[in-house]
Amino acid sequence: MMWKIQDRTIAFGRRGAIMGIVNATPDSFSDGGQFLDPDAAVEHALNLVAEGAEFIDVGGESTRPRATPVDADEEKRRVLPVIAGLRKKSDVLISVDTYKPEVAEAAIRAGANIINNIAGFGGHDEMLDVVNKTGAGIVCMHMQGNPGNMQQSPRYDDVVRDVKTFFDAKLTSAIVAGIDPERVVFDPGIGFGKTLEHNLTLLRHLPSLRVADRPILVGVSRKSFIGKVLGSEKMEDRFWPTVAMTAFCAQNGADILRVHDVRANYYALRMMEAIRG
């Protein structure tokens, strides 16, 4: 199982990978405002790499429920200095977390390698054009609705089947647009237009979501459904459950785990793989 990203090819199989999160935003749900300064964001990213992250995901717009959207110019102002600064200091694979084609293209020019698109391909032919022009890898995530309304009574006939059908359709769209399917990774979008039970059901059935042997990325780090399960509103109480889910997901079909706290989750992956042999 391969992920082609520009001139690199990443192999997946029995070994999972960690994607570290760098939010250059004032309002992200768990770390908003901590890395608004580009130098601080780059330093944080380098620390995540040192702790074991193979990918760094840089975002400039919060996509938490009911977050306030920002325009493309503001998003570029936040992320481009971080991407360019990190690229000068590391050859780590950099992902830009955006659904805007113009932001994605500018980020690739600044040194990013991957587009992490919460809107699938967002209905934008322009986003597929950016992938084609740049050779970038693309993460296609499932979301019902948009961040402003996605948690207003999400409904599915069968959440596993519906997300899998979405992935099938998006892979077909990519192929029709001339994109090598080995450039595509899928993300079920835990917490994006899903209830607690939808989230848990998707995590139970990760192997059923795989399409055409494409890698699966899962992001559960610090998310609110953890607090619902535990009956706690404290952000710090979500740390160890995230580590537990990283081990579970790695055992059950996830290839890339997107997390805030790299070291503990990296160790969880390595221990799970040691047990599996």
Side-chain angles (χ1 to χ4, degrees):
M1 187 164 30
M2 304 291 184
W3 193 12
K4 293 182 178 177
I5 304 168
Q6 296 177 326
D7 60 351
R8 299 196 229 181
T9 300
I10 310 301
F12 296 100
R14 294 185 63 81
R15 185 177 186 278
I18 294 289
M19 176 179 281
I21 300 168
V22 177
N23 286 320
T25 57
D27 56 345
S28 289
F29 74 93
S30 72
D31 58 359
Q34 293 184 27
F35 307 110
L36 285 175
D37 175 73
D39 290 338
V42 170
E43 181 180 1
H44 180 56
L46 292 171
N47 287 336
L48 297 182
V49 173
E51 291 178 354
E54 295 182 40
F55 307 91
I56 294 295
D57 191 40
V58 180
E61 177 178 353
S62 174
T63 52
R64 61 177 173 77
R66 297 173 297 280
T68 302
V70 300
D71 62 32
D73 287 341
E74 174 61 17
E75 192 175 348
K76 286 188 284 187
R77 187 191 69 77
R78 294 176 182 179
V79 301
L80 296 185
V82 179
I83 292 168
L86 179 57
R87 178 53 66 226
K88 289 178 182 178
K89 296 184 176 183
S90 174
D91 65 354
V92 68
L93 287 161
I94 302 173
S95 169
V96 59
D97 185 355
T98 188
Y99 56 87
K100 301 183 183 77
E102 59 267 48
V103 176
E105 187 167 8
I108 299 297
R109 287 199 303 266
N113 316 96
I114 299 161
I115 302 162
N116 183 8
N117 189 349
I118 65 163
F121 301 135
H124 293 295
D125 290 338
E126 294 91 341
M127 186 64 87
L128 296 175
D129 290 342
V130 173
V131 176
N132 263 329
K133 286 189 296 185
T134 62
I138 178 82
V139 178
C140 175
M141 195 193 82
H142 177 274
M143 174 174 58
Q144 189 176 90
N146 59 59
N149 62 24
M150 63 186 181
Q151 292 307 110
Q152 296 174 8
S153 301
R155 291 183 175 85
Y156 298 88
D157 293 330
D158 179 319
V159 68
V160 175
R161 185 188 64 203
D162 291 354
V163 171
K164 173 77 176 298
T165 298
F166 172 87
F167 289 166
D168 280 322
K170 291 300 180 179
L171 187 62
T172 298
S173 297
I175 292 169
V176 169
I179 294 171
D180 185 337
E182 291 194 334
R183 295 198 180 279
V184 183
V185 164
F186 289 106
D187 177 351
I190 301 299
F192 284 81
K194 281 93 176 175
T195 65
L196 170 60
E197 190 52 45
H198 292 147
N199 291 326
L200 297 177
T201 299
L202 287 168
L203 292 173
R204 287 187 203 111
H205 294 90
L206 285 177
S208 300
L209 299 176
R210 195 175 303 280
V211 172
D213 204 32
R214 304 311 311 128
I216 294 174
L217 182 152
V218 176
V220 295
S221 183
R222 302 182 183 175
K223 288 190 173 177
S224 62
F225 80 98
I226 300 172
K228 291 178 182 177
V229 171
L230 301 179
S232 172
E233 297 183 0
K234 296 179 180 179
M235 190 62 63
E236 58 266 30
D237 287 344
R238 302 178 189 179
F239 178 92
W240 289 114
T242 297
V243 176
M245 284 190 288
T246 289
F248 175 86
C249 291
Q251 176 68 10
N252 289 277
D255 304 288
I256 307 165
L257 288 305
R258 181 180 179 274
V259 300
H260 298 83
D261 306 289
V262 167
R263 188 186 302 278
N265 288 280
Y266 175 85
Y267 286 163
L269 277 186
R270 300 293 85 89
M271 284 305 303
M272 179 61 67
E273 291 154 4
I275 294 168
R276 289 196 318 217

